[in-house]
Amino acid sequence: YQVAFISMDRLIYVLKSREYISKSKTRYNRITKSDLIIIDDVMYMAYEPQDAHLFFQFIYEMYDKAAFILTSNKGPVEWGKFLGDTTLTTAILDRLLHRSEILTFSEEQDSIRMKYRKALFNNQSVES
């Protein structure tokens, strides 16, 4: 199986530039040939309307062709404010959530990154 891992901001960049940057086109082709697409940090920032439409088109195109794993610190209910279009957000979520399993980590639980950081520093806080 082929797996692609990409952050949301990098995916948007690839989608926007695939027509005129050969490296982006190559990356896009690798992603679209993948059986599993992992998108990290979904909806951590607001996106321009054209970016949201590109993301929808990508999800629409890949809906029946690949499995997805998405990581986000925002629940699906909050995605509309980051995409700026509730109808488009509903269409994206409809496809993503149709045959999916949602794993939620509560805010009281430490993130996995923080869990391992604590192990490195013997539960001491990191000072800047």
Side-chain angles (χ1 to χ4, degrees):
Y1 293 98
Q2 185 169 334
V3 177
F5 177 89
I6 192 165
S7 65
M8 178 73 171
D9 65 325
R10 190 71 183 157
L11 175 62
I12 296 297
Y13 173 79
V14 167
L15 294 174
K16 287 166 55 171
S17 62
R18 69 180 181 225
E19 297 298 323
Y20 57 91
I21 297 176
S22 62
K23 189 174 181 179
S24 292
K25 184 177 180 98
T26 301
R27 178 68 193 226
Y28 177 77
N29 288 336
R30 275 196 61 210
I31 293 168
T32 58
K33 289 178 181 154
S34 295
D35 302 295
L36 172 63
I37 302 168
I38 303 170
I39 307 172
D40 192 28
D41 291 330
V42 175
M43 304 305 157
Y44 78 95
M45 61 184 239
Y47 294 95
E48 296 294 325
Q50 64 269 24
D51 298 345
H53 287 279
L54 285 172
F55 184 60
F56 169 74
Q57 290 170 355
F58 174 74
I59 297 298
Y60 182 80
E61 178 184 339
M62 298 306 299
Y63 171 63
D64 280 327
K65 298 176 184 172
F68 288 94
I69 294 176
L70 289 86
T71 68
S72 180
N73 63 355
K74 307 293 182 208
V77 173
E78 299 175 77
W79 286 18
K81 66 182 173 187
F82 291 95
L83 294 175
D85 183 333
T86 55
T87 303
L88 186 66
T89 303
T90 301
I92 291 169
L93 288 170
D94 181 56
R95 283 152 184 82
L96 288 174
L97 299 176
H98 177 221
R99 295 176 291 228
S100 68
E101 185 69 31
I102 299 173
L103 303 175
T104 305
F105 298 95
S106 70
E107 291 180 20
E108 293 83 38
Q109 294 174 328
D110 288 333
S111 74
I112 292 173
R113 292 178 184 119
M114 293 303 288
K115 175 183 172 184
Y116 292 113
R117 184 215 35 96
K118 285 181 179 178
L120 286 172
F121 294 100
N122 298 321
N123 293 327
Q124 296 174 1
S125 64
V126 176
E127 296 179 20
S128 44

